[in-house]
Amino acid sequence: MFDSLLFDLMLVILIGMLSQWIAWKYRMPAIVVMSIAGLLVGPIFDLINPKESMGDLFSPIITFAVAIILFEGSLNLDVREIKGFSKPVGRIVTFGAFIAWIAGSLAAHFLAGLSWEVAFIIGGLFIVTGPTVILPLLRQAKLKPRPAAILKWEGIVVDPFGALLAVFAFEFIKFINSEVTLKSLLLFFAASAFAVFLGWIAALLIGNSFERGAIPEFLKAPILFVIVLFIFVLSDEIMHETGLLAVTAMGMKMANMRLTTLNDVRHFKENISVLLISGIFVMLTASLDPEILLEITNPSIILYVLAMLFIVRPLSVWISTIGTELNVREKLLIGWIAPRGIVALTVSGYFATILLENGYEDAELLTALTFALVLSTVVLHGFSIGFIAKKLNLTTTDESGVSIIGGSRFSAALAQSIKETGNEVLLIDESWAALSEARKLGLNSYVGDILSEQIEYHIDLTPYRYMLSMTKSDIYNAHVCADFVPDLGRDHLFQTAFHVGKDIETFTISGGQTLFQPSISIYSLEERMHAGHVIRKTLITKQYSYTQYLRERDDKSILLYILREDGSIEFFTPKRELQAVAGDAIIALTSPAKTIERVKERLDVENGGSGLPYEKIEELFTEDTNGNRPTIPGDAPQSKK
């Protein structure tokens, strides 16, 4: 319709982002939606062909995009994150990756009919299991911590190295074929070492500049972006194909420098990475030749995909994890789940161009072959992981874990009460200071932005069924709930009431439910905490019914949640009428006056009715200089029953 490069670029970006939104909205793998969209506008309806319209620009755009994507991925490779389960992860990403490379290469040669050169290159590339695909699947399946952690970190650690292994395979094959001399091969390894050094130096310089404040805030992200591209191009000009190694080394070094300012550029790198992944993926699928696309139905390619699914992956996992603490059920699941992601397809397109330029004609099949493997693994693993995990009893049994967004005195007190019920609880806030009360109480906490895409690289949200957004930004709370609706469902998402003094329905973005009964803002909750209000537990019995409790409770008390007899919890909301039965407990925020009255009655009984002066009782609720309040006499600790 419109024959212009500008229109094609606009359409590619638009389709990519629309695909991402549809995938988020309907809880589908983004790569599947983008695949279908790219095929529809490209080889099926022939609306655009980015490779033809962009001409000489097509390959550099793909190359730059891969460099940025790999740098962004390598920024997550903090070695501290895998210390707890380093043995199985270390085996899988080293010995297991080597087995997968060799076995995958043999399958590509003997089953798919690729030449040895192309087979070993694509075999190296297919050791990756993309984190952009695996993380949503893990969240969906709610796996137990160990298999979830291993799958998660395998994807993160291996992802940047698949392309590098393919590069080394390419150079080694050329040496074996006498296309390059031993001197040239040694020169390549020397250049590779220099690329690592170049990336390392660049990370040191830019990281220290960030820490010293030598670069203003508004320039940090753009300068980092430009430096990454500069290092990539410089290394690649010195020796072709070493640029990817340089930017990966740069990202890994920055990830382990403990930079306090690294979070300042997080949103930029996430946004640019999502934009590039979406655009590049649509470009590659839309540029597929219809004849090559038909090759996906070729029996040899289908046989290759089946071999990768049912032989190569299980074999590499089972052999590499011999002698580790993994049991048979965990090996079965990990050996099945290995979805290839967007990075595999984008990098394969990059190598297809290089190999074709070097005279390897069968490299034309690389994109189609990769597409077949990526689509089949994403679909099969995406729809089967939950079912198989349940059959193998590898899903978490924790049904009432709670993540609380927003650090405050009240949120820490609420988290402490939930922890005492035996349920998992985690507090998350962007501010270290806001979580100080949580740290005093020994609660699990994490400093970060819950809306960041990278949050799941660092913490496992699987055990937390409920999410309470209680920051002091009402709009942020609403956005948190709206963002997690596809993952948790609206019934499990809550936010504190807006504090603007108007009808909340006027302001609520489609997302979670308003917390507590009656609804109250986090500001009012904090004021009550500072006024001496406390969180109390009241057991409902046959003699003391829920109706009696409601009749006798203080008018100022706030109903927080019900602790069921089986240990599960349900939160009160203004629009939801909960009923408690004998064996349940009501957790509420009560005023100090009501609490003092109840303690006076208890002390009267304990002292034979002799009573205690009111001033003495009031001392029980007087905070010390550290803000601590003594335990109320007679209070029973919260428990599951």
Side-chain angles (χ1 to χ4, degrees):
M1 185 182 298
F2 299 98
D3 188 15
S4 72
L5 175 59
L6 187 62
F7 177 79
D8 285 359
L9 282 173
M10 179 279 298
L11 191 59
V12 162
I13 295 173
L14 179 63
I15 291 172
M17 297 314 299
L18 184 61
S19 299
Q20 290 275 8
W21 180 82
I22 292 174
W24 168 82
K25 182 70 174 177
Y26 297 102
R27 305 184 68 179
M28 299 171 63
I31 196 170
V32 174
V33 180
M34 287 187 289
S35 300
I36 296 172
L39 292 175
L40 288 175
V41 300
I44 295 178
F45 293 112
D46 197 24
L47 297 177
I48 60 171
N49 189 325
K51 190 171 185 178
E52 289 184 0
S53 60
M54 295 179 187
D56 293 338
L57 288 175
F58 184 80
S59 181
I61 290 174
I62 296 291
T63 303
F64 276 162
V66 171
I68 294 296
I69 292 169
L70 286 183
F71 172 74
E72 196 270 341
S74 60
L75 274 176
N76 297 295
L77 297 181
D78 189 337
V79 295
R80 294 175 299 177
E81 303 291 342
I82 60 172
K83 288 182 178 179
F85 39 87
S86 57
K87 186 175 181 180
V89 170
R91 291 277 195 89
I92 291 174
V93 302
T94 53
F95 187 42
F98 178 77
I99 295 172
W101 176 36
I102 300 301
S105 301
L106 293 173
H109 177 71
F110 290 108
L111 299 179
L114 297 179
S115 63
W116 281 113
E117 295 86 350
V118 178
F120 269 93
I121 291 169
I122 202 67
L125 181 59
F126 284 163
I127 68 170
V128 303
T129 58
T132 56
V133 182
I134 194 68
L135 291 179
L137 296 187
L138 296 179
R139 186 171 62 242
Q140 166 194 334
K142 296 186 178 298
L143 297 184
K144 287 184 176 179
R146 188 161 65 184
I150 291 173
L151 286 170
K152 167 187 169 183
W153 285 105
E154 179 198 4
I156 294 173
V157 173
V158 172
D159 202 49
F161 293 106
L164 303 179
L165 183 57
V167 170
F168 285 119
F170 179 51
E171 292 298 322
F172 186 73
I173 288 295
K174 288 200 298 183
F175 171 71
I176 295 297
N177 290 339
S178 300
E179 294 181 22
V180 296
T181 62
L182 178 60
K183 181 180 178 181
S184 300
L185 184 62
L186 293 176
L187 182 62
F188 171 78
F189 283 107
S192 299
F194 176 75
V196 173
F197 175 75
L198 188 64
W200 186 77
I201 289 295
L204 279 179
L205 292 177
I206 196 72
N208 290 331
S209 297
F210 281 0
E211 292 293 276
R212 295 197 313 269
I215 300 175
E217 292 296 321
F218 74 97
L219 284 180
K220 283 183 178 178
I223 285 179
L224 181 61
F225 180 75
V226 170
I227 293 297
V228 169
L229 293 181
F230 172 75
I231 293 299
F232 171 78
V233 173
L234 178 61
S235 180
D236 211 58
E237 287 296 316
I238 295 173
M239 176 63 73
H240 287 302
E241 282 70 77
T242 60
L244 296 177
L245 181 59
V247 296
T248 302
M250 179 179 173
M252 289 184 63
K253 177 60 180 176
M254 292 188 69
N256 291 277
M257 286 178 67
R258 316 293 189 260
L259 299 177
T260 58
T261 58
L262 192 59
N263 290 337
D264 298 337
V265 296
R266 177 187 296 146
H267 292 299
F268 177 81
K269 69 184 181 66
E270 286 180 7
N271 293 339
I272 198 66
S273 180
V274 169
L275 185 63
L276 287 174
I277 286 174
S278 304
I280 296 307
F281 196 82
V282 173
M283 284 175 59
L284 288 171
T285 52
S287 299
L288 285 175
D289 189 314
E291 294 182 1
I292 295 179
L293 189 59
L294 290 175
E295 288 291 331
I296 293 177
T297 61
N298 189 310
S300 61
I301 291 183
I302 294 175
L303 196 60
Y304 167 75
V305 171
L306 292 175
M308 293 293 290
L309 288 171
F310 296 103
I311 298 176
V312 175
R313 172 64 178 180
L315 185 69
S316 65
V317 170
W318 278 79
I319 294 178
S320 63
T321 55
I322 293 175
T324 66
E325 61 270 27
L326 296 185
N327 57 45
V328 174
R329 291 178 291 109
E330 290 171 328
K331 290 182 181 181
L332 281 171
L333 181 67
I334 296 171
W336 167 243
I337 302 300
R340 273 63 173 187
I342 293 171
V343 171
L345 190 58
T346 52
V347 176
S348 73
Y350 167 78
F351 275 105
T353 304
I354 293 176
L355 290 169
L356 286 171
E357 291 174 354
N358 283 269
Y360 296 97
E361 295 181 0
D362 54 337
E364 285 184 344
L365 293 176
L366 278 189
T367 303
L369 186 68
T370 310
F371 179 75
L373 183 62
V374 167
L375 190 60
S376 60
T377 55
V378 168
V379 172
L380 291 175
H381 296 162
F383 286 104
S384 67
I385 184 172
F387 174 78
I388 293 177
K390 287 181 180 179
K391 289 296 182 182
L392 295 174
N393 194 28
L394 291 176
T395 54
T396 179
T397 56
D398 190 346
E399 290 296 325
S400 295
V402 181
S403 58
I404 299 176
I405 316 304
S408 65
R409 185 172 178 179
F410 171 76
S411 64
L414 178 65
Q416 177 69 11
S417 75
I418 294 172
K419 179 182 178 182
E420 290 173 355
T421 69
N423 290 293
E424 292 287 335
V425 64
L426 172 70
L427 285 97
I428 303 174
D429 197 288
E430 290 186 271
S431 169
W432 173 267
L435 295 171
S436 60
E437 193 70 24
R439 290 192 297 273
K440 287 180 183 178
L441 296 174
L443 300 168
N444 291 331
S445 62
Y446 176 79
V447 180
D449 182 7
I450 190 63
L451 292 179
S452 167
E453 182 185 342
Q454 304 298 319
I455 193 78
E456 291 181 272
Y457 284 71
H458 305 289
I459 58 174
D460 181 15
L461 294 173
T462 303
Y464 308 105
R465 183 187 185 191
Y466 297 106
M467 180 175 288
L468 316 182
S469 192
M470 302 194 301
T471 73
K472 293 184 178 180
S473 171
D474 297 325
I475 298 299
Y476 184 85
N477 292 338
H479 278 298
V480 168
C481 292
D483 198 62
F484 279 86
V485 164
D487 302 315
L488 298 176
R490 191 174 185 276
D491 290 342
H492 297 157
L493 287 164
F494 303 87
Q495 64 187 78
T496 45
F498 278 57
H499 70 283
V500 292
K502 299 181 180 179
D503 183 9
I504 187 172
E505 296 300 327
T506 305
F507 296 90
T508 302
I509 298 172
S510 177
Q513 306 172 73
T514 306
L515 273 169
F516 310 138
Q517 194 179 94
S519 61
I520 185 171
S521 73
I522 187 64
Y523 289 91
S524 298
L525 288 167
E526 282 294 277
E527 289 175 0
R528 295 196 179 201
M529 291 295 294
H530 286 291
H533 290 228
V534 294
I535 294 178
R536 289 187 53 83
K537 169 189 172 186
T538 303
L539 184 64
I540 302 300
T541 64
K542 292 181 179 179
Q543 293 74 29
Y544 187 71
S545 68
Y546 181 52
T547 303
Q548 185 179 354
Y549 168 81
L550 293 178
R551 186 172 58 248
E552 295 180 358
R553 75 186 180 100
D554 184 4
D555 292 339
K556 293 182 179 180
S557 66
I558 305 295
L559 300 179
L560 304 179
Y561 63 91
I562 293 180
L563 173 63
R564 298 298 183 185
E565 189 176 9
D566 62 2
S568 63
I569 58 180
E570 294 183 58
F571 290 95
F572 284 99
T573 68
K575 293 185 177 182
R576 186 181 181 189
E577 292 294 334
L578 296 181
Q579 294 294 325
V581 297
D584 296 342
I586 309 300
I587 314 300
L589 182 66
T590 62
S591 66
K594 184 67 176 178
T595 305
I596 291 173
E597 180 183 334
R598 294 187 64 176
V599 173
K600 187 175 188 303
E601 293 175 357
R602 188 176 301 152
L603 290 175
D604 282 343
V605 173
E606 291 176 357
N607 289 281
S610 61
L612 193 70
Y614 185 86
E615 293 77 10
K616 293 293 184 181
I617 299 174
E618 195 173 23
E619 289 178 6
L620 292 170
F621 301 92
T622 303
E623 296 179 350
D624 61 21
T625 56
N626 295 321
N628 299 317
R629 183 178 288 108
T631 302
I632 300 172
D635 268 0
Q638 296 180 21
S639 63
K640 288 193 172 183
K641 291 189 178 181

